[in-house]
Amino acid sequence: MTMKGNFPIEKLKQIQTPFYYYDTALLRQTLEVVKKESEQYGYNVHYAVKANANAKLLKIIASYGLGADCVSGNEVQAAVDAGFAPSKIVFAGVGKTDWEINLALDNNIFCFNAESMPELEVINELAGAKGKKAKIELRINPNVDAHTHHYITTGLNENKFGFNLEDIDKVLNLMSTLKNLELIGVHFHIGSQITDFSSFQDLCVRVNELQDDFEAKNIKLKNINIGGGLGISYEHPNHFPIADFETYFRLFNKNLKLRDGQVLHCEPGRSVVAQCGSLITKVTYIKQGTSKKFAIVDAGMTDLIRPALYQAYHRIENITSNQQEDVYDVVGPICESSDVFQKEVNMNGTQRGDLIALRSAGAYGEIMASRYNLRNLPTGYLSEEL
Ligand code: LLP
C-alpha cells in the first residue's frame, strides 16, 4: 500500500472528495496522554463537543471515560447517545432555551454552567416543575487576556459570556433565594488556541483570588472548572502531533491552589481532536494567472471556514505528488473572494486530480461546515474503518 506521511493514499483515492479523514491511531494516542496527565492530579476532563461532534469520534472519546462539555440541547443528546455518562456532562451557553434545559434536567447531567441571572431564574423554575434540584457552576468572566485571535477571546470584560466579577455579590444573593438550585462550583474560559501559557498562569492567579473572596463569604465550592483553550501547532502538525498536556496540567497543579476535596475540571476541544483530522480535497484546475498560479480545489470555505473567518493557517500538502515544489494560491470554488485557503503555498508540483490535505482540521472543521452554494456537507471517514 502506498503511504505518504500517514495517509493511505490508495484508499483515499477511492473516496469522493472533499471529505474529512481522521487518523484514529493518533486520536487514541492523544486520549491516552490526556488520561495519563490528568489522572495523576485527579482532574476531570470534559471533551468540548463543539470542536467535533462526529458520532464515531464521540464514541471513541467517550470510551476513554472522558466527560463532555456541551453548548446546546443537541450536543447534550449527541453526548448521551455516544455513551458519555450524563453524570459527567456539563452544559454551558448564554442562551439555553427551555427545551434544552429540560432535556439536560431529564438526563440528570453533572451541572449547568450558568451565564446570567435570568438564566438562573429559568433553570430554577424548570427544575422546580420537575421536583429536581439543578446543580450550577457560575461562569465567571475572569478578565484575563488570552493573547489569541479576538474572535476566540472570551475571558475579557464586557462580552456576552459569563458574570462579571463585580456582579458576584448580586448573583450570590439571587442564588440564595432560588431553592431549586445548588451552587457546586465556578467556571472560567478565557479563549481558544492559547499557546502563551502565561495566560493560564494569569487565570490561576485570578482563580486563587476569587477563592479567597468566596471563602471570606463562607461559601464552599466543590468544583473549579477552568474551561478549554489549550492550543496546538498548526505550523508543525508532523512534529507536534499531540498538544502539550503535560505542561498544561502541571501548570495548574503548581499554580492553582485547590482547597481540600475540591475537584478541578477542564474542557479541552481543539487539543483533543485537531491534529487527527485533515480535510482531503482534489485539485480541479490549475489556473495560470498573470503573476501567480491558482490551485483550484473542490473543497471550499463551506467545508473548512477557519481560514476565511479567522485568517487561520492550516498546513497544506499535496499528498499525491513528489514533483519539484512550486508556489500556488490554494482556493476553493465558492463565489466569495474570501474563499482562499492560503496564498503562496509551497507544495509539490500540482496537477488536476492530485489530492491535497489541509492539516490540523479535526477541530472546528467538519462541524462548522455549511451548505452555502447548495454544496454537500463533507463526510468524515475514520482511518480504522478504511
Ligand atoms: N469551554 C468553553 C466554555 C468554550 O467556549 C470552548 C470553546 C471550549 C471549552 C473549548 O475550547 P478549545 O479547547 O477547543 O479551545 N471556532 C473557533 C473556536 C471557538 C471556540 C469556542 N469555545 C475556531 O475554529 O478556532
Side-chain angles (χ1 to χ4, degrees), residues 336-350:
E336 294 273 345
S337 34
S338 57
D339 187 31
V340 174
F341 284 125
Q342 202 193 310
K343 293 186 173 161
E344 295 177 15
V345 182
N346 282 304
M347 31 178 213
N348 294 105
T350 299

Side-chain angles (χ1 to χ4, degrees), residues 48 50-51 69 71 92 139 152 154 187-189 191-193 227-230 234 267-271 306 310 363-364 368:
K50 67 172 80 63
D69 160 38
V71 288
R139 176 168 179 176
I152 49 179
T154 43
H187 173 233
F188 308 87
H189 173 75
S192 197
Q193 182 51 16
L230 175 61
Y234 281 97
E267 306 168 335
R270 186 190 316 267
S271 52
R306 303 192 69 258
Y310 316 115
Y364 308 110
M368 289 180 80

Side-chain angles (χ1 to χ4, degrees), residues 19 38 72 79 108 133 135 137 139 142 156-157 168 172 177 180 237 252 260 264 279 338 346 372 375 379 383:
F19 61 90
S38 59
S72 72
N108 297 317
K133 224 170 168 145
K135 288 184 283 177
E137 284 176 353
R139 176 168 179 176
L156 278 173
N157 252 342
I168 292 305
L172 291 175
T177 67
N180 308 314
F252 284 98
D260 262 358
L264 187 128
L279 173 61
S338 57
N346 282 304
Y372 184 43
R375 286 168 56 81
T379 304
S383 56

